[in-house]
Amino acid sequence: MDKIELIQLAEDFIANSADNRIKMDSKAPIELVGEKIYDPPIFGFCEASDEVFAVLKNPEVIGCHFRNPREWLPTAQTVISFFLPYSEAVKASNREQKIWPSWGWLVGRVEGHRLLRTLLSKMELHLRKAGYASVIPTMDKKFFSITEPIEELCGEPLAFTSNWSERHIAYLAGLGTFGLSKGLITKKGIAGRFGSLVTELQLEPNGRPYEIYNAYCTQCGACVKQCPVKAISIEKGKDHRLCSIFLDKTAEKYKPRYGCGKCQVNVPCENGIPGQKNN
């Protein structure tokens, strides 16, 4: 098994899955029904033994609670990360709404997340059938995500964190770098969702075409202006607390869906890396 086989599996699934279409029963506007949620994925690969994983345990990055790949799977050789860019229909619908998320974006956030998890499960099963043990950290019983502040761990107070970060993993796998909004800017932009899994299949890493964590961000401030609750600033970046409060409001308004994504549309990094031609 090689990269091409895994990438092809994912591309075929996203291209052909009926769940990658906005459905009538989602109550989306009729002009969105039948539109794609995601465009084809892009992939990154890194070694499970990459020494940079240790950096993620520093309190100024994630913290001691972060579990490196071999804490999830002792025999791990490779971490596979992918980005699913939202379709133009999903992004365009959210560009039109100035404060509240569009229905297309809400469907992308909730039904799209379910589709992403299904893709991860299919990839894990494919690897396992080929004889390679694999783990999906965010779907493992040991995974946790914290929004409300809790007691200190290793001397660190915890809030708005998890023990496996899809964006940090994607950064290490060479997929992109962080923006002011704390989203990850890839060659296909910032608007979309990330997934990853750890496997004992050995695959060649593709390297990181950047040296600093925010290399692709121009600090233009467009996401600052886009945020409906002023949770982003040039000086301090993103205030996760303000963002979380607004997301809770969208959850009340649009239950069972939620989302926002205003910092991912109407910005120079929406569809690619600012100032670069992206294929």
Side-chain angles (χ1 to χ4, degrees):
M1 185 182 297
D2 57 19
K3 291 180 182 180
I4 294 174
E5 182 177 339
L6 285 170
I7 293 171
Q8 191 64 57
L9 180 152
E11 288 179 345
D12 289 347
F13 174 73
I14 292 299
N16 299 313
S17 174
D19 291 329
N20 192 33
R21 298 283 174 173
I22 297 176
K23 298 179 180 179
M24 182 72 75
D25 61 12
S26 71
K27 300 181 180 179
I30 191 65
E31 64 268 19
L32 284 174
V33 173
E35 293 285 355
K36 292 186 300 180
I37 296 175
Y38 293 125
D39 284 340
I42 57 173
F43 276 78
F45 303 84
C46 64
E47 293 177 330
S49 59
D50 193 319
E51 61 184 16
V52 184
F53 280 110
V55 176
L56 301 189
K57 288 183 177 285
N58 293 339
E60 64 271 20
V61 184
I62 296 179
C64 66
H65 57 285
F66 173 78
R67 296 172 63 95
N68 67 46
R70 287 182 174 165
E71 288 178 289
W72 295 97
L73 179 66
T75 56
Q77 297 296 321
T78 306
V79 180
I80 303 170
S81 177
F82 61 83
F83 177 64
L84 284 168
Y86 282 133
S87 70
E88 173 57 22
V90 169
K91 291 182 290 191
S93 71
N94 210 34
R95 288 197 296 266
E96 294 170 3
Q97 302 290 331
K98 299 306 179 186
I99 297 177
W100 296 103
S102 70
W103 207 258
W105 192 272
L106 292 166
V107 171
R109 180 64 183 84
V110 176
E111 281 89 334
H113 186 64
R114 287 202 294 264
L115 181 66
L116 183 152
R117 288 168 68 90
T118 301
L119 172 57
L120 282 168
S121 295
K122 285 185 174 294
M123 292 176 64
E124 188 274 334
L125 178 61
H126 190 75
L127 286 160
R128 183 156 39 90
K129 283 184 174 180
Y132 301 103
S134 304
V135 171
I136 304 166
T138 56
M139 295 172 66
D140 189 270
K141 63 182 180 181
K142 295 185 288 294
F143 175 75
F144 67 77
S145 178
I146 299 167
T147 54
E148 296 298 324
I150 65 169
E151 295 181 2
E152 293 186 355
L153 179 66
C154 303
E156 306 164 18
L158 295 184
F160 305 108
T161 187
S162 60
N163 59 353
W164 184 258
S165 167
E166 297 290 14
R167 290 170 298 122
H168 285 83
I169 298 308
Y171 170 82
L172 294 184
L175 281 177
T177 75
F178 291 87
L180 273 176
S181 66
K182 304 302 183 187
L184 206 75
I185 302 169
T186 77
K187 68 179 183 179
K188 293 297 182 180
I190 197 170
R193 303 289 295 169
F194 291 92
S196 64
L197 68 163
V198 177
T199 180
E200 62 183 12
L201 171 63
Q202 190 159 11
L203 296 167
E204 183 180 357
N206 50 281
R208 292 182 282 274
Y210 38 76
E211 296 182 356
I212 57 174
Y213 74 98
N214 61 352
Y216 297 160
C217 181
T218 64
Q219 305 282 301
C220 69
C223 59
V224 175
K225 297 175 184 177
Q226 278 290 107
C227 182
V229 293
K230 303 186 186 307
I232 307 168
S233 70
I234 294 284
E235 297 76 20
K236 297 181 179 180
K238 182 179 180 181
D239 184 324
H240 291 288
R241 183 185 64 84
L242 290 176
C243 179
S244 180
I245 290 171
F246 183 67
L247 285 177
D248 287 344
K249 290 180 179 178
T250 70
E252 293 173 8
K253 184 177 177 68
Y254 298 106
K255 188 177 181 179
R257 298 183 180 87
Y258 68 98
C260 175
K262 298 306 176 185
C263 59
Q264 297 180 28
V265 296
N266 278 326
V267 292
C269 56
E270 178 182 329
N271 299 307
I273 301 167
Q276 294 187 19
K277 291 183 178 181
N278 303 285
N279 299 317

